[in-house]
Amino acid sequence: MRAPLACMTALVAFAEAQQFYITAEGYTERPQCTHAVPSPQYHFRQFSYTLNETVRYATSVPSPTTTGTYGPPYSEAVKHLTTSPVTTTWGNWLPNQTVVTATDTNDPYGQAAWSSLWLQAGLENYTTTGLYSTTVSPTPVPSSELVLPPRDYFRPTDCYNFPDDFVFGVAGSAAQVEGAMGLEGRSPTIQEKLANTTQPKNYVTNENYFLYKQDIQRLAAMGVKYYSFSIPWTRILPFVLPGSPVNEQGIQHYDDLINTVLDAGMLPIVTLHHFDSPLIFVASDNTSAHPDIGNNNAGYQNETFVDAFVNYAKIVLTHYADRVPIWVTFNEPYLYSFNFTGANNVVHAHAQVYHFYHDELNATGQMGIKFNDNFGVPRDPSNSSDVLAANRFQEIQLGLYANPIFLGEQYPDSVLNTLPGAKPLSEQDLSYIANTSDFFGIDPYTATVVSQPAGGIDDCATNGSTDNSLFPYCVVQETKNIYGWNIGYRSQSYVYITPTYLREYLSYLWNTFKKPVFVSEFGYPVFNEADKGLSDQLFDTPRSIYYLSFMSEILKSIHEDGVHVMGALAWSWADNWEFGDYAQQFGLQVVNRTTQERYFKKSFFDLVDFVGARMGS
């Protein structure tokens, strides 16, 4: 039975707006055959069993022949600092032990002072050590671990290739994989304060701090070219503020990590701040955890934040800018600079770091910032109020930072008229901040359906407060389309498989902010994966579907829509601590929490195989 013509016309219009296509017979399109197919001829033959599997191995990254240089070496770069930093070392924070043995109480930056940072964090009793206490030497990855899994029956049928300079790799963050929390001089971050009230803790995680050589070798063996990681501020500057001593052990650790990546034939990408603000900016009793910081417990709101972050970034850049081709200042700042003052501080701090990198160091790599924003798609693209709601959703999350940084334009009116304390940037500030990102980093895990609330946007924006569940977006967010269907296949968390929306999103970002788009994180936690046996966790077809469909839409975006997509980084290279949760397994490898053994998942092979087959002209 055919639908009435008017209904079909409306349905096709909606489908095109959502960027999927419906044929007259349904949405599963029949391939075009190039030759006549004869009628079947049935017959008997001698039956015999055949082996349907063929052994194929992952292609490792080749050993490097040369190493690129992107900035001056430390001996030259350090001359751009106002004062040469003093380096020192501290011990480990071992509850009920460290304080007893620390006798240098008159030294403001001594072992006793460092231990007091942990005491003020209220973390007197916890297990700070895992299986390892020193860097583990790598062992070769057995070829038996590199056998490709069986192919899925349905696979992408595109015929496009990625550009030669396409950046493909995997990502992780220190807070989620490193462990070694109170070891080798690192001081507390906001994550430890949050984790102290949740289970499981983030104290050990993947012990990547000691297993990084083996982890990097495993990634290289799989053929991964780029490895993205973050450097914790408090491991470089335990006392955080300008003028405080630099942790020599931290500097040496990341120096060796970067060299290990390069020696493996890979390239590093470094994020300076990834959800691990120093705890001294945030105190539970509305007083600072450090005497030199005022009584402000909002972290990024703190008036000392900008100068302190810029100082930290300069120290890191002077040490490593010569060997790192891509830098990210802030990861997803909207999630933790959740008010105007914090966001404004991020914008100013980012711009200063960018100018130091390019104007003072004359570095030739790329420096940028990356955002979170589950793409807000209007519930009904033909409804102007829903389109307005979607635009507002993008402005609150992205325009707050991206208008000044990428366009040199003022904060959006929706921001200035909604966020308490919001005020416009001066013309001088706009000129300084404009064009201070070489790429637009985005973590587009999924999409969100957006519409106006029953009372309208203005009522919420004008009279709203943090008590209003819709504030500050002041729009309705949901995960069902206009016909009541989920927008995609759901995961363990908020992520739905929404590849066609990704393509639309990339077009929006490229045409709005005029910079190459860098998909700096994307990934999928399969539903109930943590409760499955190992073999079932490894055969993670839903994650493969997610990655291959997203990568296919990236190719279409590049070739059919003319969008400059700089690259894509899969999150994450292994199951990790997802901020209080090990059940949301985003990883491309399973991690045994008892032994710290890693196992490659099927999706890892599928993703690397997909990209490898499409690299080159």
Side-chain angles (χ1 to χ4, degrees), residues 246-319:
V246 175
N247 182 9
E248 185 175 345
Q249 285 181 293
I251 292 294
Q252 291 176 352
H253 174 83
Y254 293 102
D255 186 75
D256 190 60
L257 191 157
I258 290 169
N259 289 338
T260 300
V261 171
L262 295 171
D263 291 344
M266 301 166 64
L267 291 172
I269 299 173
V270 176
T271 297
L272 293 169
H273 191 286
H274 192 120
F275 291 159
D276 48 9
S277 289
L279 190 61
I280 69 167
F281 290 126
V282 186
S284 60
D285 59 355
N286 290 328
T287 60
S288 169
H290 192 283
D292 293 338
I293 292 181
N295 297 335
N296 189 329
N297 71 334
Y300 276 29
Q301 295 183 73
N302 197 287
E303 61 184 13
T304 65
F305 179 85
V306 174
D307 288 344
F309 177 81
V310 172
N311 173 70
Y312 151 69
K314 287 181 177 181
I315 290 172
V316 173
L317 289 170
T318 54
H319 279 89

Side-chain angles (χ1 to χ4, degrees), residues 1-9 11 24:
M1 178 178 177
R2 291 185 178 273
L5 180 60
C7 294
M8 281 302 300
T9 301
L11 186 57

Side-chain angles (χ1 to χ4, degrees), residues 120-395:
Q120 292 179 61
L123 301 175
E124 294 86 351
N125 298 298
Y126 67 91
T127 301
T128 185
T129 58
L131 297 177
Y132 303 98
S133 59
T134 188
T135 301
V136 176
S137 298
T139 57
V141 180
S143 59
S144 60
E145 292 190 38
L146 299 174
V147 178
L148 273 68
R151 290 182 182 272
D152 287 326
Y153 189 79
F154 293 104
R155 294 180 61 82
T157 58
D158 60 86
C159 56
Y160 298 127
N161 283 342
F162 292 102
D164 291 339
D165 59 353
F166 189 81
V167 174
F168 170 70
V170 295
S173 82
Q176 296 172 263
V177 301
E178 276 194 350
M181 186 183 73
L183 307 182
E184 296 195 1
R186 181 183 178 275
S187 66
T189 76
I190 189 176
Q191 289 300 329
E192 284 77 69
K193 193 67 176 179
L194 296 175
N196 202 34
T197 59
T198 61
Q199 292 287 342
K201 310 286 192 237
N202 71 328
Y203 306 149
V204 175
T205 65
N206 296 7
E207 295 196 73
N208 172 256
Y209 188 80
F210 298 120
L211 294 172
Y212 66 92
K213 290 181 181 289
Q214 185 68 43
D215 285 331
I216 290 167
Q217 183 152 315
R218 288 180 64 83
L219 298 177
M222 283 293 291
V224 172
K225 183 64 176 178
Y226 285 86
Y227 175 55
S228 178
F229 61 94
S230 67
I231 295 178
W233 185 345
T234 59
R235 206 181 286 280
I236 300 299
L237 287 170
F239 289 89
V240 179
L241 301 181
S244 62
V246 175
N247 182 9
E248 185 175 345
Q249 285 181 293
I251 292 294
Q252 291 176 352
H253 174 83
Y254 293 102
D255 186 75
D256 190 60
L257 191 157
I258 290 169
N259 289 338
T260 300
V261 171
L262 295 171
D263 291 344
M266 301 166 64
L267 291 172
I269 299 173
V270 176
T271 297
L272 293 169
H273 191 286
H274 192 120
F275 291 159
D276 48 9
S277 289
L279 190 61
I280 69 167
F281 290 126
V282 186
S284 60
D285 59 355
N286 290 328
T287 60
S288 169
H290 192 283
D292 293 338
I293 292 181
N295 297 335
N296 189 329
N297 71 334
Y300 276 29
Q301 295 183 73
N302 197 287
E303 61 184 13
T304 65
F305 179 85
V306 174
D307 288 344
F309 177 81
V310 172
N311 173 70
Y312 151 69
K314 287 181 177 181
I315 290 172
V316 173
L317 289 170
T318 54
H319 279 89
Y320 310 131
D322 58 331
R323 286 160 288 160
V324 176
I326 301 173
W327 291 88
V328 176
T329 53
F330 292 96
N331 165 76
E332 302 183 355
Y334 188 79
L335 293 183
Y336 42 87
S337 62
F338 46 80
N339 52 55
F340 178 78
T341 302
N344 189 58
N345 282 346
V346 167
V347 169
H348 282 83
H350 164 82
Q352 289 186 44
V353 173
Y354 181 92
H355 283 294
F356 176 78
Y357 179 74
H358 280 303
D359 300 344
E360 296 187 47
L361 293 184
N362 291 315
T364 59
Q366 298 186 76
M367 171 75 71
I369 186 170
K370 70 190 189 84
F371 306 107
N372 64 290
D373 181 20
N374 301 327
F375 185 37
V377 296
R379 187 170 185 268
D380 181 357
S382 66
N383 185 321
S384 59
S385 66
D386 288 350
V387 172
L388 181 67
N391 287 335
R392 177 185 171 86
F393 184 80
Q394 262 75 256
E395 287 176 355

